[in-house]
Amino acid sequence: MERTSAEAEATTQQAWEGFTTGDWTENIDVRDFIQKNYTPYLGDAEFLSGATEKTLRVWDTLEKDYLSVERERRVYDVDTKIPADVDAFPAGYISDDDNVIVGLQTDVPLKRAMMPNGGWRMVETAIKEAGKEPDPQVKDIFTKYRKTHNDAVFDIYTPNIRAARSSHIVTGLPDAYGRGRIIGDYRRVALYGIDKLIADKQQDKDAVKDQPFSENWARYREEHSEQIKALKKLKNMAAAYGFDISGPAKTAQEAVQWTYFGYLASVKSQDGAAMSFGRLSAFFDVYFERDLAAGRITEQDAQEMIDALVLKLRIVRFLRTIDYDQIFSGDPYWATWSDGGFGDDGRTLVTKTSFRLLQTLRNLGPAPEPNITIFWSENLPEGYKAFCAAISIETSSIQYESDEQIRCHWGDDAAIACCVSPMRVGKQMQFFGARVNAAKGLLYAMNGGRDEMSGKQIVNGFEPITGDGPLDFNEVWSKYEDMLDWVTGTYVEALNIIHYSHDKYAYEAVEMALHDSDIVRTMGCGIAGLSIVADSLSAIKYAKVTPVRDETGLIVDYKTEGDFPTYGNDDDRADEIAATVVHTIMSKIKSIPLYRDAVATQSVLTITSNVVYGKATGSFPSGHKAGTPFAPGANPENGLDSHGMVASMLSVGKLDYNDALDGISLTNTITPSGLGRNKDEQVSNLVGILDAGFVPEDADL
């Protein structure tokens, strides 16, 4: 039943009672709501509550009846008859106790849905690998009558792209699954309700109704229509669980539930490589503080809600192939929850709910999802810094990013999509692009475009280095720059094709419905093998490197004599080579036109796929051997960082963030005993390391 405008207004006023008004009451502006209403928390963790008996019962049922079975089978179950959509499945629950924050992707926990809009071949392979057979009628629909994103991509791909893809100089392209890296502003569902969001989208659509026809005009109106339909499906899905989300949430529990419904709609309809949750803690905390002050809930109730929500985020599942799992070293989905940091007004965005989120790692135990990401600054409240460090030591389940870099470039309501990719929530999206094997590109440069593993000629028109003498740095660098023109050109051409096809055949309607109508789009390019390139070029420049050839003249190994500086040890000689490589690749990408006028960005990121890249790549002057794993992200080469963790952090800090606005990853492993003799000492030392690693650029050192 549709509500009258008077009823809608009354419901809204009731929901917003006690909140400080502002621009957010007139326009959709969640950031303004937070800034006007949140309460920074400067204390410690003493107020926190443990898990309730209900939480533990639900978690125990999930573990005994579902997770243990999944571990044995790899996949608990697959629905082979119903293509996934926002409201495709009836309501599902974990147990009778599962009534705090409700909602599953399908009707049974851990049962995976097929998402064939991305491509049928991956769906069919994944179903068979799970021990089932695809439904013949569904297969007919998506192979005979309904074109998929994957079909379109391969219709358009050029011979160069196919060659680069098959030789693994470009790997992990989202051409058969959802691209991900889009964070819907799920908070909007709770703050405004679906009816307001639909009305706003309809108004934006009609604002361009009288313009002359153009492709952009038609696409704008069509996409808005799809977004409105998706919001209506979201409303239907919530109704199946007994909730009317037409209007704003009136309580803290509704605020968490409404927000989760928005996210749930996204993971019900898209299988993106990263399906991040956004920046939620300060938003939720406004509702918790209001309900706590009114005596409607207790601290235990607040913690139970966050525990119940996190429990749901831990059981998101997508139908993936074994090959996909190998690329990403498991079955990740990066439900990243960003927290901490500061607002532009200088107040910390740490709230009591920031603590509640970390407390879930004690109440429920460690887990990789949600991917909790702390925006770190040495100026964060001391109690929060200590609690983050303590939880990191106990669980190894937190990652840290520079608040200053993110806030200065992306604002104080930014969040991370995937691991290191920042964006303004609801105002920006990314065209995810996997990454190029920059290290393999160096080998191609020296071998004139022949693949060092297969011997095949992949790239034509390039002359190899000849002769048996030592390599000359200037010659190698010149050839590498030329080869990078081909590599980046082929890579970006593939990305343009992929995102054109994805918008056309696998559009993320519900996620984009929770964005502004006019947004910034970035093209998230990336590189792998940075440390190998830097060290190899350093070896050529500072030592004596002689190529070793096979009987066909292909360089398959290198004899390196003498010492050379290595990246990751705070040595400017090697670190500047690494920074130059990143800058050079970014400059080449920026020179290429991008789909929908996207802004070119780059990441130095291979947190999970570095093993796969290594298997497909040969030996290097640095001493890196063929087939062995790359170091992850912007890490120093495995075993070549000899000056400790802080030195590696300082080396990474020399990479210009403006050349890698999609993020730079450094993964470090520390045993707790290496941090100190007791818990207090370990916490203090870890805080000190993090403070040192995230020193502001203008700090007086």
Side-chain angles (χ1 to χ4, degrees), residues 463-492:
E463 292 297 322
I465 289 176
T466 57
D468 297 323
L471 296 172
D472 176 74
F473 176 83
N474 291 329
E475 181 186 14
V476 171
W477 177 256
S478 177
K479 286 184 176 295
Y480 186 43
E481 274 213 90
D482 290 343
M483 183 58 66
L484 286 176
D485 286 332
W486 185 92
V487 171
T488 57
T490 302
Y491 174 45
V492 172

PDB file of all heavy atoms in Angstrom, residues 463-492:
ATOM      1  N   GLU A 463      62.493  -5.530 -31.260  1.00  0.00           N
ATOM      2  CA  GLU A 463      63.748  -6.253 -31.409  1.00  0.00           C
ATOM      3  C   GLU A 463      64.282  -6.681 -30.042  1.00  0.00           C
ATOM      4  O   GLU A 463      64.288  -5.884 -29.097  1.00  0.00           O
ATOM      5  CB  GLU A 463      64.786  -5.385 -32.107  1.00  0.00           C
ATOM      6  CG  GLU A 463      64.463  -5.085 -33.563  1.00  0.00           C
ATOM      7  CD  GLU A 463      64.430  -6.345 -34.410  1.00  0.00           C
ATOM      8  OE1 GLU A 463      65.276  -7.247 -34.176  1.00  0.00           O
ATOM      9  OE2 GLU A 463      63.545  -6.440 -35.285  1.00  0.00           O
ATOM     10  N   PRO A 464      64.769  -7.916 -29.926  1.00  0.00           N
ATOM     11  CA  PRO A 464      65.331  -8.363 -28.653  1.00  0.00           C
ATOM     12  C   PRO A 464      66.730  -7.797 -28.443  1.00  0.00           C
ATOM     13  O   PRO A 464      67.373  -7.294 -29.369  1.00  0.00           O
ATOM     14  CB  PRO A 464      65.372  -9.876 -28.812  1.00  0.00           C
ATOM     15  CG  PRO A 464      65.572 -10.075 -30.289  1.00  0.00           C
ATOM     16  CD  PRO A 464      64.789  -8.974 -30.950  1.00  0.00           C
ATOM     17  N   ILE A 465      67.199  -7.893 -27.213  1.00  0.00           N
ATOM     18  CA  ILE A 465      68.596  -7.591 -26.922  1.00  0.00           C
ATOM     19  C   ILE A 465      69.453  -8.732 -27.445  1.00  0.00           C
ATOM     20  O   ILE A 465      69.163  -9.914 -27.196  1.00  0.00           O
ATOM     21  CB  ILE A 465      68.800  -7.392 -25.413  1.00  0.00           C
ATOM     22  CG1 ILE A 465      68.160  -6.061 -24.969  1.00  0.00           C
ATOM     23  CG2 ILE A 465      70.273  -7.414 -25.036  1.00  0.00           C
ATOM     24  CD1 ILE A 465      68.223  -5.807 -23.487  1.00  0.00           C
ATOM     25  N   THR A 466      70.497  -8.402 -28.178  1.00  0.00           N
ATOM     26  CA  THR A 466      71.362  -9.423 -28.762  1.00  0.00           C
ATOM     27  C   THR A 466      72.742  -9.374 -28.108  1.00  0.00           C
ATOM     28  O   THR A 466      73.082  -8.447 -27.368  1.00  0.00           O
ATOM     29  CB  THR A 466      71.501  -9.206 -30.276  1.00  0.00           C
ATOM     30  OG1 THR A 466      72.003  -7.880 -30.511  1.00  0.00           O
ATOM     31  CG2 THR A 466      70.152  -9.358 -30.968  1.00  0.00           C
ATOM     32  N   GLY A 467      73.538 -10.392 -28.413  1.00  0.00           N
ATOM     33  CA  GLY A 467      74.893 -10.440 -27.882  1.00  0.00           C
ATOM     34  C   GLY A 467      74.961 -11.172 -26.560  1.00  0.00           C
ATOM     35  O   GLY A 467      73.957 -11.390 -25.876  1.00  0.00           O
ATOM     36  N   ASP A 468      76.199 -11.532 -26.210  1.00  0.00           N
ATOM     37  CA  ASP A 468      76.423 -12.312 -24.989  1.00  0.00           C
ATOM     38  C   ASP A 468      77.054 -11.501 -23.868  1.00  0.00           C
ATOM     39  O   ASP A 468      77.355 -12.034 -22.800  1.00  0.00           O
ATOM     40  CB  ASP A 468      77.337 -13.505 -25.310  1.00  0.00           C
ATOM     41  CG  ASP A 468      76.695 -14.459 -26.309  1.00  0.00           C
ATOM     42  OD1 ASP A 468      75.463 -14.639 -26.222  1.00  0.00           O
ATOM     43  OD2 ASP A 468      77.418 -15.002 -27.164  1.00  0.00           O
ATOM     44  N   GLY A 469      77.248 -10.198 -24.102  1.00  0.00           N
ATOM     45  CA  GLY A 469      77.881  -9.369 -23.088  1.00  0.00           C
ATOM     46  C   GLY A 469      76.918  -8.917 -22.009  1.00  0.00           C
ATOM     47  O   GLY A 469      75.702  -9.184 -22.077  1.00  0.00           O
ATOM     48  N   PRO A 470      77.439  -8.219 -21.012  1.00  0.00           N
ATOM     49  CA  PRO A 470      76.584  -7.714 -19.935  1.00  0.00           C
ATOM     50  C   PRO A 470      75.513  -6.757 -20.447  1.00  0.00           C
ATOM     51  O   PRO A 470      75.715  -6.047 -21.443  1.00  0.00           O
ATOM     52  CB  PRO A 470      77.573  -6.992 -19.009  1.00  0.00           C
ATOM     53  CG  PRO A 470      78.896  -7.587 -19.324  1.00  0.00           C
ATOM     54  CD  PRO A 470      78.864  -7.914 -20.786  1.00  0.00           C
ATOM     55  N   LEU A 471      74.381  -6.739 -19.775  1.00  0.00           N
ATOM     56  CA  LEU A 471      73.275  -5.860 -20.154  1.00  0.00           C
ATOM     57  C   LEU A 471      73.605  -4.415 -19.832  1.00  0.00           C
ATOM     58  O   LEU A 471      74.218  -4.118 -18.798  1.00  0.00           O
ATOM     59  CB  LEU A 471      71.995  -6.286 -19.420  1.00  0.00           C
ATOM     60  CG  LEU A 471      71.450  -7.672 -19.748  1.00  0.00           C
ATOM     61  CD1 LEU A 471      70.302  -8.030 -18.801  1.00  0.00           C
ATOM     62  CD2 LEU A 471      70.988  -7.752 -21.198  1.00  0.00           C
ATOM     63  N   ASP A 472      73.182  -3.523 -20.722  1.00  0.00           N
ATOM     64  CA  ASP A 472      73.371  -2.094 -20.521  1.00  0.00           C
ATOM     65  C   ASP A 472      72.077  -1.489 -19.993  1.00  0.00           C
ATOM     66  O   ASP A 472      71.004  -1.664 -20.595  1.00  0.00           O
ATOM     67  CB  ASP A 472      73.752  -1.433 -21.850  1.00  0.00           C
ATOM     68  CG  ASP A 472      73.880   0.066 -21.724  1.00  0.00           C
ATOM     69  OD1 ASP A 472      74.873   0.531 -21.157  1.00  0.00           O
ATOM     70  OD2 ASP A 472      72.946   0.775 -22.182  1.00  0.00           O
ATOM     71  N   PHE A 473      72.178  -0.772 -18.875  1.00  0.00           N
ATOM     72  CA  PHE A 473      70.972  -0.248 -18.229  1.00  0.00           C
ATOM     73  C   PHE A 473      70.176   0.647 -19.159  1.00  0.00           C
ATOM     74  O   PHE A 473      68.947   0.511 -19.259  1.00  0.00           O
ATOM     75  CB  PHE A 473      71.339   0.521 -16.955  1.00  0.00           C
ATOM     76  CG  PHE A 473      70.159   1.178 -16.290  1.00  0.00           C
ATOM     77  CD1 PHE A 473      69.324   0.456 -15.432  1.00  0.00           C
ATOM     78  CD2 PHE A 473      69.852   2.506 -16.529  1.00  0.00           C
ATOM     79  CE1 PHE A 473      68.220   1.042 -14.839  1.00  0.00           C
ATOM     80  CE2 PHE A 473      68.750   3.113 -15.926  1.00  0.00           C
ATOM     81  CZ  PHE A 473      67.925   2.376 -15.088  1.00  0.00           C
ATOM     82  N   ASN A 474      70.812   1.568 -19.846  1.00  0.00           N
ATOM     83  CA  ASN A 474      70.090   2.522 -20.695  1.00  0.00           C
ATOM     84  C   ASN A 474      69.373   1.816 -21.839  1.00  0.00           C
ATOM     85  O   ASN A 474      68.242   2.183 -22.183  1.00  0.00           O
ATOM     86  CB  ASN A 474      71.057   3.575 -21.238  1.00  0.00           C
ATOM     87  CG  ASN A 474      71.556   4.506 -20.153  1.00  0.00           C
ATOM     88  OD1 ASN A 474      70.849   4.791 -19.184  1.00  0.00           O
ATOM     89  ND2 ASN A 474      72.792   4.976 -20.288  1.00  0.00           N
ATOM     90  N   GLU A 475      70.000   0.794 -22.411  1.00  0.00           N
ATOM     91  CA  GLU A 475      69.352   0.041 -23.484  1.00  0.00           C
ATOM     92  C   GLU A 475      68.141  -0.719 -22.952  1.00  0.00           C
ATOM     93  O   GLU A 475      67.061  -0.711 -23.563  1.00  0.00           O
ATOM     94  CB  GLU A 475      70.343  -0.932 -24.125  1.00  0.00           C
ATOM     95  CG  GLU A 475      69.721  -1.738 -25.287  1.00  0.00           C
ATOM     96  CD  GLU A 475      70.640  -2.808 -25.844  1.00  0.00           C
ATOM     97  OE1 GLU A 475      71.665  -3.122 -25.189  1.00  0.00           O
ATOM     98  OE2 GLU A 475      70.325  -3.343 -26.925  1.00  0.00           O
ATOM     99  N   VAL A 476      68.314  -1.368 -21.800  1.00  0.00           N
ATOM    100  CA  VAL A 476      67.200  -2.135 -21.220  1.00  0.00           C
ATOM    101  C   VAL A 476      66.042  -1.208 -20.869  1.00  0.00           C
ATOM    102  O   VAL A 476      64.879  -1.503 -21.162  1.00  0.00           O
ATOM    103  CB  VAL A 476      67.675  -2.924 -19.988  1.00  0.00           C
ATOM    104  CG1 VAL A 476      66.478  -3.541 -19.265  1.00  0.00           C
ATOM    105  CG2 VAL A 476      68.664  -4.008 -20.388  1.00  0.00           C
ATOM    106  N   TRP A 477      66.359  -0.060 -20.249  1.00  0.00           N
ATOM    107  CA  TRP A 477      65.285   0.855 -19.858  1.00  0.00           C
ATOM    108  C   TRP A 477      64.541   1.388 -21.080  1.00  0.00           C
ATOM    109  O   TRP A 477      63.312   1.490 -21.070  1.00  0.00           O
ATOM    110  CB  TRP A 477      65.828   2.008 -19.024  1.00  0.00           C
ATOM    111  CG  TRP A 477      64.757   2.996 -18.670  1.00  0.00           C
ATOM    112  CD1 TRP A 477      64.549   4.228 -19.216  1.00  0.00           C
ATOM    113  CD2 TRP A 477      63.685   2.795 -17.735  1.00  0.00           C
ATOM    114  NE1 TRP A 477      63.423   4.822 -18.673  1.00  0.00           N
ATOM    115  CE2 TRP A 477      62.882   3.957 -17.761  1.00  0.00           C
ATOM    116  CE3 TRP A 477      63.337   1.764 -16.883  1.00  0.00           C
ATOM    117  CZ2 TRP A 477      61.754   4.107 -16.970  1.00  0.00           C
ATOM    118  CZ3 TRP A 477      62.219   1.916 -16.078  1.00  0.00           C
ATOM    119  CH2 TRP A 477      61.438   3.070 -16.130  1.00  0.00           C
ATOM    120  N   SER A 478      65.269   1.704 -22.141  1.00  0.00           N
ATOM    121  CA  SER A 478      64.629   2.205 -23.357  1.00  0.00           C
ATOM    122  C   SER A 478      63.691   1.161 -23.943  1.00  0.00           C
ATOM    123  O   SER A 478      62.562   1.482 -24.347  1.00  0.00           O
ATOM    124  CB  SER A 478      65.706   2.593 -24.369  1.00  0.00           C
ATOM    125  OG  SER A 478      65.118   3.026 -25.578  1.00  0.00           O
ATOM    126  N   LYS A 479      64.146  -0.073 -24.003  1.00  0.00           N
ATOM    127  CA  LYS A 479      63.302  -1.137 -24.538  1.00  0.00           C
ATOM    128  C   LYS A 479      62.098  -1.407 -23.623  1.00  0.00           C
ATOM    129  O   LYS A 479      60.999  -1.713 -24.092  1.00  0.00           O
ATOM    130  CB  LYS A 479      64.114  -2.417 -24.738  1.00  0.00           C
ATOM    131  CG  LYS A 479      65.062  -2.359 -25.940  1.00  0.00           C
ATOM    132  CD  LYS A 479      65.775  -3.669 -26.144  1.00  0.00           C
ATOM    133  CE  LYS A 479      66.636  -3.629 -27.397  1.00  0.00           C
ATOM    134  NZ  LYS A 479      65.829  -3.494 -28.641  1.00  0.00           N
ATOM    135  N   TYR A 480      62.324  -1.279 -22.314  1.00  0.00           N
ATOM    136  CA  TYR A 480      61.216  -1.494 -21.361  1.00  0.00           C
ATOM    137  C   TYR A 480      60.148  -0.421 -21.540  1.00  0.00           C
ATOM    138  O   TYR A 480      58.947  -0.720 -21.570  1.00  0.00           O
ATOM    139  CB  TYR A 480      61.763  -1.495 -19.939  1.00  0.00           C
ATOM    140  CG  TYR A 480      60.753  -1.860 -18.871  1.00  0.00           C
ATOM    141  CD1 TYR A 480      59.851  -2.910 -19.040  1.00  0.00           C
ATOM    142  CD2 TYR A 480      60.713  -1.160 -17.668  1.00  0.00           C
ATOM    143  CE1 TYR A 480      58.942  -3.252 -18.047  1.00  0.00           C
ATOM    144  CE2 TYR A 480      59.813  -1.492 -16.659  1.00  0.00           C
ATOM    145  CZ  TYR A 480      58.923  -2.538 -16.864  1.00  0.00           C
ATOM    146  OH  TYR A 480      58.012  -2.863 -15.876  1.00  0.00           O
ATOM    147  N   GLU A 481      60.565   0.821 -21.681  1.00  0.00           N
ATOM    148  CA  GLU A 481      59.595   1.895 -21.912  1.00  0.00           C
ATOM    149  C   GLU A 481      58.781   1.644 -23.176  1.00  0.00           C
ATOM    150  O   GLU A 481      57.563   1.846 -23.195  1.00  0.00           O
ATOM    151  CB  GLU A 481      60.309   3.245 -22.009  1.00  0.00           C
ATOM    152  CG  GLU A 481      60.553   3.919 -20.675  1.00  0.00           C
ATOM    153  CD  GLU A 481      60.498   5.421 -20.778  1.00  0.00           C
ATOM    154  OE1 GLU A 481      59.391   5.997 -20.612  1.00  0.00           O
ATOM    155  OE2 GLU A 481      61.561   6.016 -21.034  1.00  0.00           O
ATOM    156  N   ASP A 482      59.452   1.215 -24.242  1.00  0.00           N
ATOM    157  CA  ASP A 482      58.743   0.932 -25.494  1.00  0.00           C
ATOM    158  C   ASP A 482      57.752  -0.219 -25.313  1.00  0.00           C
ATOM    159  O   ASP A 482      56.614  -0.158 -25.794  1.00  0.00           O
ATOM    160  CB  ASP A 482      59.738   0.586 -26.605  1.00  0.00           C
ATOM    161  CG  ASP A 482      60.556   1.786 -27.052  1.00  0.00           C
ATOM    162  OD1 ASP A 482      60.155   2.930 -26.746  1.00  0.00           O
ATOM    163  OD2 ASP A 482      61.609   1.584 -27.687  1.00  0.00           O
ATOM    164  N   MET A 483      58.191  -1.263 -24.617  1.00  0.00           N
ATOM    165  CA  MET A 483      57.293  -2.399 -24.399  1.00  0.00           C
ATOM    166  C   MET A 483      56.109  -1.996 -23.528  1.00  0.00           C
ATOM    167  O   MET A 483      54.983  -2.470 -23.732  1.00  0.00           O
ATOM    168  CB  MET A 483      58.058  -3.553 -23.738  1.00  0.00           C
ATOM    169  CG  MET A 483      57.224  -4.823 -23.531  1.00  0.00           C
ATOM    170  SD  MET A 483      56.525  -5.517 -25.058  1.00  0.00           S
ATOM    171  CE  MET A 483      58.034  -6.006 -25.907  1.00  0.00           C
ATOM    172  N   LEU A 484      56.329  -1.114 -22.569  1.00  0.00           N
ATOM    173  CA  LEU A 484      55.225  -0.661 -21.714  1.00  0.00           C
ATOM    174  C   LEU A 484      54.164   0.077 -22.521  1.00  0.00           C
ATOM    175  O   LEU A 484      52.985   0.072 -22.137  1.00  0.00           O
ATOM    176  CB  LEU A 484      55.752   0.225 -20.588  1.00  0.00           C
ATOM    177  CG  LEU A 484      56.489  -0.492 -19.448  1.00  0.00           C
ATOM    178  CD1 LEU A 484      57.041   0.522 -18.452  1.00  0.00           C
ATOM    179  CD2 LEU A 484      55.584  -1.497 -18.741  1.00  0.00           C
ATOM    180  N   ASP A 485      54.548   0.725 -23.625  1.00  0.00           N
ATOM    181  CA  ASP A 485      53.536   1.347 -24.486  1.00  0.00           C
ATOM    182  C   ASP A 485      52.568   0.290 -24.989  1.00  0.00           C
ATOM    183  O   ASP A 485      51.342   0.496 -24.977  1.00  0.00           O
ATOM    184  CB  ASP A 485      54.204   2.047 -25.679  1.00  0.00           C
ATOM    185  CG  ASP A 485      54.906   3.342 -25.280  1.00  0.00           C
ATOM    186  OD1 ASP A 485      54.475   3.970 -24.297  1.00  0.00           O
ATOM    187  OD2 ASP A 485      55.877   3.705 -25.961  1.00  0.00           O
ATOM    188  N   TRP A 486      53.100  -0.831 -25.441  1.00  0.00           N
ATOM    189  CA  TRP A 486      52.231  -1.913 -25.938  1.00  0.00           C
ATOM    190  C   TRP A 486      51.426  -2.526 -24.799  1.00  0.00           C
ATOM    191  O   TRP A 486      50.221  -2.759 -24.925  1.00  0.00           O
ATOM    192  CB  TRP A 486      53.081  -2.998 -26.614  1.00  0.00           C
ATOM    193  CG  TRP A 486      52.246  -4.082 -27.257  1.00  0.00           C
ATOM    194  CD1 TRP A 486      51.800  -4.120 -28.547  1.00  0.00           C
ATOM    195  CD2 TRP A 486      51.743  -5.265 -26.619  1.00  0.00           C
ATOM    196  NE1 TRP A 486      51.051  -5.257 -28.761  1.00  0.00           N
ATOM    197  CE2 TRP A 486      50.996  -5.973 -27.593  1.00  0.00           C
ATOM    198  CE3 TRP A 486      51.840  -5.791 -25.342  1.00  0.00           C
ATOM    199  CZ2 TRP A 486      50.362  -7.187 -27.314  1.00  0.00           C
ATOM    200  CZ3 TRP A 486      51.194  -6.993 -25.058  1.00  0.00           C
ATOM    201  CH2 TRP A 486      50.475  -7.683 -26.035  1.00  0.00           C
ATOM    202  N   VAL A 487      52.094  -2.801 -23.685  1.00  0.00           N
ATOM    203  CA  VAL A 487      51.437  -3.468 -22.556  1.00  0.00           C
ATOM    204  C   VAL A 487      50.284  -2.619 -22.024  1.00  0.00           C
ATOM    205  O   VAL A 487      49.157  -3.106 -21.861  1.00  0.00           O
ATOM    206  CB  VAL A 487      52.456  -3.769 -21.443  1.00  0.00           C
ATOM    207  CG1 VAL A 487      51.733  -4.249 -20.182  1.00  0.00           C
ATOM    208  CG2 VAL A 487      53.447  -4.825 -21.898  1.00  0.00           C
ATOM    209  N   THR A 488      50.558  -1.345 -21.740  1.00  0.00           N
ATOM    210  CA  THR A 488      49.501  -0.505 -21.170  1.00  0.00           C
ATOM    211  C   THR A 488      48.401  -0.235 -22.189  1.00  0.00           C
ATOM    212  O   THR A 488      47.224  -0.195 -21.837  1.00  0.00           O
ATOM    213  CB  THR A 488      50.078   0.834 -20.670  1.00  0.00           C
ATOM    214  OG1 THR A 488      50.748   1.506 -21.736  1.00  0.00           O
ATOM    215  CG2 THR A 488      51.034   0.610 -19.516  1.00  0.00           C
ATOM    216  N   GLY A 489      48.766  -0.070 -23.454  1.00  0.00           N
ATOM    217  CA  GLY A 489      47.751   0.155 -24.483  1.00  0.00           C
ATOM    218  C   GLY A 489      46.813  -1.023 -24.624  1.00  0.00           C
ATOM    219  O   GLY A 489      45.586  -0.860 -24.716  1.00  0.00           O
ATOM    220  N   THR A 490      47.379  -2.228 -24.633  1.00  0.00           N
ATOM    221  CA  THR A 490      46.563  -3.445 -24.749  1.00  0.00           C
ATOM    222  C   THR A 490      45.700  -3.639 -23.506  1.00  0.00           C
ATOM    223  O   THR A 490      44.521  -3.986 -23.589  1.00  0.00           O
ATOM    224  CB  THR A 490      47.484  -4.659 -24.945  1.00  0.00           C
ATOM    225  OG1 THR A 490      48.293  -4.454 -26.111  1.00  0.00           O
ATOM    226  CG2 THR A 490      46.671  -5.935 -25.115  1.00  0.00           C
ATOM    227  N   TYR A 491      46.293  -3.393 -22.351  1.00  0.00           N
ATOM    228  CA  TYR A 491      45.601  -3.538 -21.070  1.00  0.00           C
ATOM    229  C   TYR A 491      44.406  -2.595 -20.976  1.00  0.00           C
ATOM    230  O   TYR A 491      43.272  -3.014 -20.679  1.00  0.00           O
ATOM    231  CB  TYR A 491      46.615  -3.262 -19.963  1.00  0.00           C
ATOM    232  CG  TYR A 491      46.116  -3.210 -18.547  1.00  0.00           C
ATOM    233  CD1 TYR A 491      45.230  -4.150 -18.043  1.00  0.00           C
ATOM    234  CD2 TYR A 491      46.588  -2.228 -17.675  1.00  0.00           C
ATOM    235  CE1 TYR A 491      44.812  -4.107 -16.721  1.00  0.00           C
ATOM    236  CE2 TYR A 491      46.182  -2.181 -16.358  1.00  0.00           C
ATOM    237  CZ  TYR A 491      45.290  -3.121 -15.880  1.00  0.00           C
ATOM    238  OH  TYR A 491      44.881  -3.070 -14.580  1.00  0.00           O
ATOM    239  N   VAL A 492      44.626  -1.316 -21.253  1.00  0.00           N
ATOM    240  CA  VAL A 492      43.544  -0.339 -21.135  1.00  0.00           C
ATOM    241  C   VAL A 492      42.474  -0.583 -22.193  1.00  0.00           C
ATOM    242  O   VAL A 492      41.283  -0.395 -21.923  1.00  0.00           O
ATOM    243  CB  VAL A 492      44.103   1.096 -21.218  1.00  0.00           C
ATOM    244  CG1 VAL A 492      42.972   2.110 -21.283  1.00  0.00           C
ATOM    245  CG2 VAL A 492      44.997   1.380 -20.016  1.00  0.00           C
TER     246      VAL A 492
END
